[in-house]
């Protein structure tokens, strides 16, 4: 009986490890094909992701991202919130949040190569470049999500995002860590990969309290972690 219990506890971790290994391997193998075209990654996503109109379109990495959010956020504290999602893709985060029956007053998702469209009474997707995020920093956003988008903006715009938030509002960042497996260029823009500690330091310098951090790793050997793949930070403006 004890053996079965040990195996049952081990299986979820093994599945997560295999998923991360698969994503890393695919990224590493496809890298030489995409970089020479510079915007090949963009074209790949347009044809295989953004043009699909399935409302609930989740891939393996997306589910992994959202599981980090669930670890760090007490959704009971969110009431009638206004959300800005910078790097929204096809709006999958919005649908995921609505599945949790959250009270959302307004959701605005920004991403390239998606159709401008209302997704329900309070949700809208806008086709725009992440470099134009400043246009949506109204100061009335209760929560800003940055999923795989921080690495595509300069420090100045990131500071503008931070300064737009008011006391008590939240910022949730999910971004790739610097690693050899992924170097996705969009429109020829080379990503800026920042370490988790570096981002946390910037947040604290600009008046944020870091509520929680979650990271993914490719390998774990005893207590030694190697090759961090991504991190998630939830912080609140003081």
């Amino acid at each position: 009986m004890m053996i079965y219990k040990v195996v049952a506890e081990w299986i979820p971790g093994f599945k997560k490890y295999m998923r991360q290994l698969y994503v890393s391997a695919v990224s590493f193998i496809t890298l030489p094909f995409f970089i020479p075209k510079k915007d090949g990654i963009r074209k790949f996503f347009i044809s295989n992701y953004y043009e699909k109109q399935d409302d609930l379109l989740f891939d393996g990495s997306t589910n992994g991202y959202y599981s980090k959010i669930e670890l760090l956020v007490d959704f009971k504290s969110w009431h009638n919130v206004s959300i800005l999602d910078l790097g929204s893709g096809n709006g999958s985060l919005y649908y995921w949040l609505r599945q949790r029956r959250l009270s959302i007053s307004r959701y605005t998702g920004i991403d390239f190569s998606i159709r401008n469209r209302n997704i329900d009474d309070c949700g809208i997707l806008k086709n725009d470049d992440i470099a134009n995020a400043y246009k949506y920093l109204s100061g009335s956003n209760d929560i800003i999500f940055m999923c795989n988008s921080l690495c595509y903006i300069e420090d100045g715009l990131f500071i503008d995002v931070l300064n737009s938030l008011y006391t008590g509002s939240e910022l949730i960042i999910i971004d790739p860590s610097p690693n050899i497996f992924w170097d996705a260029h969009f429109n020829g823009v080379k990503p800026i990969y920042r370490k988790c500690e570096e981002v946390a330091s910037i947040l604290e310098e600009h008046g944020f309290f870091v509520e929680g951090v979650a990271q993914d790793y490719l390998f774990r050997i005893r207590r030694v972690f190697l090759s961090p793949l991504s991190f998630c930070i939830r912080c609140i403006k003081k």
Side-chain angles (χ1 to χ4, degrees):
M1 191 69 180
M2 182 62 69
I3 295 176
Y4 290 116
K5 183 178 179 181
V6 171
V7 171
E9 292 174 349
W10 175 76
I11 287 176
F14 178 73
K15 286 183 177 178
K16 180 180 179 182
Y17 165 79
M18 292 304 296
R19 184 178 69 245
Q20 291 177 345
L21 183 62
Y22 168 75
V23 171
S24 298
V26 170
S27 301
F28 184 71
I29 292 169
T30 57
L31 185 60
F33 299 97
F34 288 135
I35 284 186
K37 297 182 180 180
K38 292 193 174 178
D39 65 346
I41 294 280
R42 178 189 179 107
K43 291 177 181 176
F44 172 81
F45 273 91
I46 291 173
S47 61
N48 291 281
Y49 183 78
Y50 293 109
E51 288 183 351
K52 296 180 180 179
Q53 297 307 317
D54 300 325
D55 286 342
L56 294 174
L57 184 61
F58 301 116
D59 57 29
S61 60
T62 297
N63 282 323
Y65 282 171
Y66 297 163
S67 67
K68 293 192 192 72
I69 295 173
E70 211 157 23
L71 285 174
L72 300 180
V73 174
D74 178 11
F75 292 122
K76 293 179 182 178
S77 65
W78 289 6
H79 300 288
N80 206 31
V81 291
S82 173
I83 295 174
L84 175 61
D85 186 2
L86 298 176
S88 63
N90 212 29
S92 57
L93 172 65
Y94 176 72
Y95 294 107
W96 183 82
L97 292 172
R98 288 304 293 262
Q99 283 182 335
R100 277 136 190 83
R101 302 184 181 279
L102 298 182
S103 174
I104 299 174
S105 64
R106 187 181 77 244
Y107 168 90
T108 305
I110 311 300
D111 211 318
F112 69 87
S113 300
I114 56 176
R115 292 188 305 158
N116 285 340
R117 64 187 179 105
N118 293 323
I119 46 183
D120 64 14
D121 292 340
C122 63
I124 185 170
L125 293 175
K126 288 184 172 290
N127 181 329
D128 209 343
D129 194 285
I130 191 68
N132 296 324
Y134 63 88
K135 296 193 299 186
Y136 307 96
L137 305 177
S138 63
S140 61
N141 298 305
D142 301 314
I143 303 164
I144 294 181
F145 281 92
M146 301 184 71
C147 297
N148 268 1
S149 58
L150 175 58
C151 57
Y152 292 104
I153 69 172
E154 301 287 344
D155 288 345
L157 182 53
F158 183 37
I159 301 307
D160 288 343
V161 172
L162 301 183
N163 291 337
S164 74
L165 288 164
Y166 63 87
T167 300
S169 55
E170 298 187 30
L171 175 65
I172 298 176
I173 298 170
I174 301 177
D175 222 43
S177 297
N179 64 75
I180 66 171
F181 296 106
W182 185 243
D183 196 23
H185 293 57
F186 286 101
N187 266 7
V189 177
K190 183 175 176 59
I192 305 169
Y193 292 120
R194 301 168 174 93
K195 293 182 178 180
C196 180
E197 297 79 10
E198 177 186 353
V199 175
S201 178
I202 295 172
L203 292 168
E204 290 170 351
E205 288 175 9
H206 288 82
F208 286 81
F209 176 75
V210 177
E211 283 280 332
V213 176
Q215 297 196 65
D216 267 342
Y217 296 86
L218 178 59
F219 299 110
R220 187 173 75 176
I221 303 175
R222 293 185 181 177
R223 296 184 180 224
V224 180
F225 292 90
L226 301 175
S227 187
L229 293 178
S230 65
F231 60 86
C232 178
I233 297 177
R234 175 187 173 228
C235 59
I236 297 177
K237 187 73 171 283
K238 292 189 286 187

